[in-house]
Amino acid sequence: MRKYIFWLLLITSLTVQAQNIRGKVCFEKDKSPVQFATVGMIQLPDSAMITGVITLTDGGYFFEKVKPGNYFMKVSFVGYKTNGKKVTVEAGNGEIAVDTIYLAETTASLNEVTVVGERLKGKEMVDRTVYAIPQVIAKSSSNGYEILKKIPQVNVDFQNNVTLNGSSNFIIQVDGRQRDKEFLAKLLPSDIESIEVVSNPSGKYEGNIDGVINIILKKEARYGMNGNAGFNIKPFNKPTTQATASLDYAMGKITFYVTGFIVSQKLHISNWNDNHFTLIDSTTSMAGNGGIKVTQSTVNSGFDYYINDKNNLSFNISYKPTRQNVDISGETFLYKGNNPLNTISSITSTITHSDEASASLFYKKTFKKAIQEFTAEANYYWFKSNDGNDFTNTQYLYNTDSILSTYARLEENLNERRYFSTKLNYVHPIGLSAKIEAGYQLYNQQLSYLFKVDHLESTNLFEYGEFRNSIYAGITYNLKKIGMQAMLRVEDSHIKADSVTQPNYACFLPSVNFQYKFSASHNLKFTYNRRINRPGIYDMNPYYKIGQNYDITQGNPDLKPDYRDRLQLTYTWNFGSNYFSPYVYQEYFTNKVGRELHVITSPVNNELTTISKPYNLLSGYESGGGLNAMLWYVNINARIYKGHFNEYIGQSVNIPSVNYFSYSITSYAFKQFDKNKKTTAFIFLSYNGVNMNAQSKTYSIPFWGLGAQKQIKDHSIGLFYLLPFSKNIKFSKTVTETPFYNSTNTIGFDVSKYIQFMYSYKFNKGKSVKKLDRKIDVESDSKSQTIGR
């Protein structure tokens, strides 16, 4: 009898097999997937909670090894009504596919941003803010730049320069993969699912960035071709042109793409420089006029290959050449006391040619558990520049044609930089509310400088190398009311260079985020992070450069990194169609780079001149507050702050302590008039206040402009007018004050008739057939600028 019972139990156990359950959660209104929703598996009829998971970025969820029985899949998501589906698991079934569960909005939604008629939705998370992009916003935009203009914390100006919380020190990602800013022109708004804004980067990112914008694309397998093209032109008073184009060719799981960008800008410029040497009561006063021409272009190409639901691979290469020519003719008057002595006529030509290229390979693997993933990334970067400075000075006796002397000089600065970086990252969930994350990064860079004067090559080639190992680990924990993230990054650097006195150093970079959700629309977040800024390639160039006024500048290869410790408290209030987020902060900085300026005898003419060299001379603190807001149709980023530089005692210069105060504002306002949201009027404003350095202050004027844009099917036409009715403006003024030397340097340019016409076209000749899973995190290094950035 026992033998029969044994075989009966064995057969029953083989028959009653555990099954897998797979399903998906979407928003009821636009049928887009819901990511990070909670799915609980409840046993019927006793309503006992068995287990739970969080939906992936495609809205999918998965339960494995579910025993036969009756269950209810209960889905909850902040700001939406709870919904679910009954599921019956029977013995011997294959994998069970649950019908899609749709979520409808509630009247009051927690941490949700809405724009009436545009329905911009945002979800505050402990480490980032996620903005879902509804269809109506996508239809009223032509590319990624226009989407970003409607995102709180982000501003895009008339030249498509992007800032995050008023800063340009951030990285842009597309599905977690580092991309150039110009890549945004490629993106079709209809392909964008959401945008993530990270204001307090954790240890998984490089220690020198202040933020991350990560654009999440829809997970669709596509076939066919799509792309866009755009052209902007300023036809009057020194023409300026800008063109973009992109093309995608999709073959289901693999998509090939190429995108290009080019801008050519010309301006009339002016320069005024007054110098007073107090020791000998001598003054020079220079005025010059000329022109500047900048040409920049970028080409990106690569592929995204979604091998299967668990594995994907991406490859990208880019090339970015830059050419800049500045030609100025000037006249300088030399005074002794109030008596004029001599006149110097100058012709100066500064030419900068640079090329940079990069290649990146990215791999991601996901697992059955939600959030669990492994990523690996490798990057190679190459940069080379040739900076030429050619000037001729002819000195006359004042108010005569009698030539006293002539001096000409041609300087060539050749810089080269290469680096290789590889990064491994792993995320593992702990239950439904927490995850741990850890990773390793290797970084190896080589820099070299070669200096020539009048085509004679210097024998002192300077080379600089850095080998850096970084590890990081942390935990993220989320509950209904409370969220917390803590992470530590440790970096160990080894420097190889002849003149560097401290070749090796290690640093610890902690970060903490703490979030508390008061109610359906109120959120409070406290953040702390420690950041590191390493000296740039131009700051470390050791050679002397002599300007047309015989002033000398020099880099310093012995510069050390500077550190910032920042504490910030941010309050977020979502009401109606508005997003309102004021913040206060306190920041402490050490070893910040500033230029030490002192007076020497010029090696050229034995007259007094200045030499400027960077040192780690600034330590102190800064406190202030600001506002990030989207109020109806106005995007505002504003900041007001005060700070203190400690006293600096150097070998040849003492700089007393100083207090400073400043403020800045950047804003973009838009209004759509017709019922179909096809006609938009907008206005842009940017003002950066006063920028303080160790011995100088830089003042700038407000920039503003207005324009309009009209969409006609797949075409868009527009007009922008910068500083209407203005002519010659003084763009910036730098005032330097020391015990032995004072100067004022002013730069201006002609903005007469700065009217820009805009046209863009987008097309989609393919079709979408199914959803794919992709989402990652990553970063990079290069930035380029045109006038006005």
Side-chain angles (χ1 to χ4, degrees):
M1 184 68 180
R2 292 180 181 178
K3 181 177 180 180
Y4 291 113
I5 295 176
F6 169 78
W7 283 107
L8 179 62
L9 292 175
L10 178 61
I11 293 172
T12 303
S13 65
L14 292 174
T15 305
V16 184
Q17 297 177 358
Q19 305 299 323
N20 298 332
I21 297 177
R22 184 183 296 273
K24 187 172 184 178
V25 182
C26 291
F27 292 111
E28 184 179 70
K29 186 171 184 179
D30 58 8
K31 306 300 185 290
S32 62
V34 181
Q35 53 181 332
F36 311 120
T38 300
V39 183
M41 184 170 66
I42 298 174
Q43 190 171 31
L44 299 178
D46 58 3
S47 299
M49 173 68 76
I50 304 300
T51 185
V53 295
I54 296 174
T55 57
L56 304 174
T57 54
D58 66 347
Y61 62 89
F62 183 80
F63 293 101
E64 60 180 345
K65 298 180 181 179
V66 180
K67 296 180 181 180
N70 295 319
Y71 301 93
F72 184 76
M73 302 295 114
K74 182 180 179 181
V75 180
S76 59
F77 187 66
V78 175
Y80 290 79
K81 297 178 181 178
T82 300
N83 198 5
K85 294 280 187 181
K86 290 183 179 180
V87 179
T88 298
V89 178
E90 297 179 352
N93 287 353
E95 183 175 271
I96 299 174
V98 182
D99 291 340
T100 300
I101 301 173
Y102 293 99
L103 300 182
E105 295 180 83
T106 56
T107 304
S109 57
L110 179 61
N111 295 319
E112 180 187 10
V113 182
T114 59
V115 176
V116 175
E118 316 241 311
R119 298 302 294 172
L120 176 65
K121 304 170 184 177
K123 177 177 173 59
E124 287 288 346
M125 305 185 72
V126 65
D127 59 338
R128 63 194 181 276
T129 306
V130 181
Y131 300 94
I133 307 301
Q135 191 175 18
V136 65
I137 284 187
K139 286 184 176 180
S140 63
S141 305
S142 59
N143 56 39
Y145 289 115
E146 294 188 12
I147 293 288
L148 286 182
K149 288 178 181 179
K150 300 168 185 177
I151 300 296
Q153 308 177 64
V154 181
N155 263 286
V156 183
D157 71 6
F158 67 100
Q159 288 187 315
N160 290 332
N161 300 315
V162 184
T163 58
L164 175 60
N165 294 323
S167 171
S168 59
N169 184 31
F170 67 94
I171 60 173
I172 293 176
Q173 301 177 335
V174 177
D175 275 337
R177 303 163 174 89
Q178 175 82 24
R179 293 293 182 259
D180 291 332
K181 174 184 73 69
E182 291 77 19
F183 195 86
L184 295 172
K186 163 195 178 301
L187 300 177
L188 293 177
S190 57
D191 290 341
I192 299 175
E193 181 174 286
S194 63
I195 294 179
E196 300 179 348
V197 176
V198 180
S199 299
N200 183 43
S202 66
K204 70 177 292 186
Y205 300 102
E206 288 280 1
N208 61 339
I209 63 169
D210 294 330
V212 180
I213 297 176
N214 188 24
I215 300 172
I216 307 299
L217 302 181
K218 293 178 180 177
K219 292 74 183 171
E220 296 177 336
R222 296 185 309 202
Y223 290 88
M225 188 177 297
N226 64 66
N228 58 26
F231 182 74
N232 301 340
I233 183 170
K234 179 181 79 72
F236 313 114
N237 188 25
K238 292 280 188 181
T240 294
T241 59
Q242 176 179 304
T244 61
S246 70
L247 185 67
D248 287 14
Y249 183 71
M251 302 168 60
K253 291 186 176 183
I254 187 168
T255 299
F256 297 93
Y257 64 84
V258 60
T259 179
F261 166 87
I262 185 170
V263 57
S264 177
Q265 187 172 50
K266 299 178 182 179
L267 288 171
H268 289 290
I269 61 174
S270 302
N271 184 220
W272 299 269
N273 189 275
D274 296 311
N275 305 282
H276 181 65
F277 298 89
T278 57
L279 286 176
I280 58 174
D281 194 19
S282 175
T283 302
T284 65
S285 180
M286 188 276 287
N289 292 284
I292 182 171
K293 179 181 178 180
V294 181
T295 302
Q296 293 179 343
S297 56
T298 302
V299 177
N300 279 277
S301 183
F303 65 82
D304 294 324
Y305 179 33
Y306 304 100
I307 304 168
N308 52 44
D309 290 343
K310 303 299 180 183
N311 299 273
N312 59 66
L313 185 71
S314 295
F315 177 73
N316 176 263
I317 57 173
S318 68
Y319 173 63
K320 183 183 296 185
T322 300
R323 305 291 183 264
Q324 177 176 294
N325 297 350
V326 181
D327 298 300
I328 294 181
S329 298
E331 192 170 41
T332 303
F333 296 94
L334 286 75
Y335 297 87
K336 178 68 174 179
N338 294 321
N339 300 315
L341 297 178
N342 300 318
T343 303
I344 298 177
S345 294
S346 303
I347 299 175
T348 303
S349 178
T350 303
I351 301 174
T352 300
H353 289 178
S354 68
D355 296 275
E356 59 183 279
S358 65
S360 64
L361 183 66
F362 189 89
Y363 169 74
K364 177 186 176 183
K365 179 177 179 59
T366 59
F367 302 87
K368 289 185 177 181
K369 292 184 178 179
I371 302 177
Q372 184 182 9
E373 66 179 38
F374 169 78
T375 58
E377 172 196 5
N379 290 290
Y380 177 77
Y381 173 85
W382 171 81
F383 172 83
K384 187 175 184 178
S385 70
N386 187 344
D387 304 329
N389 182 36
D390 184 9
F391 69 88
T392 301
N393 285 353
T394 304
Q395 187 171 355
Y396 301 88
L397 188 65
Y398 179 73
N399 209 23
T400 72
D401 294 330
S402 177
I403 297 177
L404 299 178
S405 65
T406 300
Y407 180 77
R409 183 179 175 94
L410 171 62
E411 296 179 342
E412 293 178 271
N413 228 339
L414 287 79
N415 307 300
E416 186 171 3
R417 179 187 181 207
R418 303 171 185 267
Y419 79 74
F420 172 77
S421 173
T422 184
K423 180 179 178 181
L424 306 175
N425 187 78
Y426 177 69
V427 183
H428 189 85
I430 304 176
L432 295 178
S433 303
K435 67 176 182 179
I436 56 174
E437 186 167 10
Y440 166 78
Q441 185 171 8
L442 178 147
Y443 181 89
N444 185 15
Q445 74 164 337
Q446 302 293 326
L447 289 78
S448 65
Y449 306 98
L450 185 62
F451 188 65
K452 298 180 181 179
V453 178
D454 297 329
H455 300 293
L456 298 177
E457 186 171 309
S458 169
T459 58
N460 184 20
L461 173 65
F462 179 80
E463 294 182 330
Y464 179 99
E466 179 187 8
F467 184 79
R468 186 192 317 155
N469 287 286
S470 303
I471 58 172
Y472 58 88
I475 185 170
T476 303
Y477 188 70
N478 277 295
L479 294 175
K480 184 175 182 180
K481 289 283 188 178
I482 296 175
M484 184 273 291
Q485 182 188 66
M487 189 166 287
L488 176 65
R489 183 182 182 96
V490 181
E491 298 186 347
D492 181 61
S493 295
H494 296 264
I495 309 299
K496 184 179 180 180
D498 294 338
S499 61
V500 175
T501 58
Q502 296 185 5
N504 303 322
Y505 64 90
C507 61
F508 296 84
L509 305 174
S511 64
V512 176
N513 295 330
F514 180 82
Q515 177 190 29
Y516 184 76
K517 304 169 187 176
F518 289 100
S519 66
S521 58
H522 299 271
N523 175 80
L524 189 67
K525 189 180 294 186
F526 169 79
T527 61
Y528 163 76
N529 63 36
R530 180 172 173 83
R531 316 304 293 168
I532 182 174
N533 287 324
R534 294 179 173 85
I537 184 171
Y538 292 106
D539 287 330
M540 293 189 295
N541 191 323
Y543 300 110
Y544 290 94
K545 296 177 65 177
I546 298 178
Q548 69 178 52
N549 293 323
Y550 306 123
D551 55 301
I552 300 172
T553 58
Q554 182 187 17
N556 183 0
D558 203 32
L559 286 174
K560 297 178 292 185
D562 67 78
Y563 298 92
R564 293 174 293 133
D565 291 89
R566 184 182 178 101
L567 298 97
Q568 181 167 311
L569 187 65
T570 305
Y571 169 73
T572 302
W573 179 26
N574 300 303
F575 60 99
S577 61
N578 306 289
Y579 173 93
F580 184 78
S581 182
Y583 64 89
V584 293
Y585 71 92
Q586 181 76 23
E587 184 173 280
Y588 300 90
F589 49 86
T590 56
N591 291 330
K592 188 175 180 180
V593 175
R595 286 199 165 263
E596 184 180 293
L597 185 73
H598 54 95
V599 178
I600 64 170
T601 300
S602 171
V604 175
N605 59 2
N606 293 320
E607 301 288 342
L608 290 183
T609 189
T610 60
I611 181 169
S612 172
K613 186 175 181 178
Y615 289 92
N616 298 101
L617 51 80
L618 297 176
S619 295
Y621 60 85
E622 183 177 288
S623 58
L627 174 66
N628 295 312
M630 175 66 80
L631 302 176
W632 292 275
Y633 298 99
V634 182
N635 194 346
I636 303 172
N637 302 113
R639 182 168 70 107
I640 183 170
Y641 56 96
K642 64 178 182 178
H644 174 81
F645 292 140
N646 297 334
E647 181 184 10
Y648 169 76
I649 301 177
Q651 294 181 352
S652 57
V653 173
N654 291 347
I655 301 175
S657 62
V658 63
N659 297 319
Y660 62 88
F661 169 82
S662 189
Y663 59 92
S664 64
I665 182 171
T666 303
S667 181
Y668 173 82
F670 64 96
K671 176 65 176 176
Q672 294 176 314
F673 293 98
D674 56 345
K675 185 172 70 173
N676 295 324
K677 308 294 181 183
K678 298 295 185 181
T679 303
T680 304
F682 59 88
I683 186 170
F684 169 81
L685 169 67
S686 178
Y687 177 62
N688 291 322
V690 181
N691 183 27
M692 290 286 299
N693 207 316
Q695 296 173 291
S696 63
K697 299 178 182 179
T698 299
Y699 303 84
S700 60
I701 67 167
F703 259 60
W704 71 280
L706 50 87
Q709 189 169 331
K710 174 71 175 180
Q711 278 197 312
I712 307 172
K713 295 184 178 179
D714 291 329
H715 304 264
S716 175
I717 56 175
L719 175 72
F720 179 78
Y721 193 0
L722 175 67
L723 296 172
F725 311 112
S726 298
K727 295 183 178 180
N728 293 300
I729 64 168
K730 294 182 177 180
F731 171 62
S732 68
K733 180 176 69 173
T734 300
V735 178
T736 302
E737 297 178 346
T738 75
F740 312 108
Y741 167 81
N742 299 317
S743 75
T744 301
N745 184 47
T746 305
I747 298 174
F749 62 89
D750 184 4
V751 293
S752 301
K753 300 178 182 178
Y754 202 110
I755 301 174
Q756 180 174 279
F757 298 92
M758 303 174 290
Y759 169 77
S760 64
Y761 168 70
K762 59 183 179 180
F763 67 91
N764 188 352
K765 303 301 182 181
K767 62 180 180 178
S768 302
V769 295
K770 68 174 183 177
K771 300 290 182 179
L772 294 169
D773 177 33
R774 59 177 181 183
K775 182 181 180 297
I776 19 278
D777 291 318
V778 78
E779 63 241 57
S780 163
D781 180 42
S782 120
K783 292 181 183 175
S784 61
Q785 296 186 344
T786 55
I787 306 303
R789 297 193 193 185

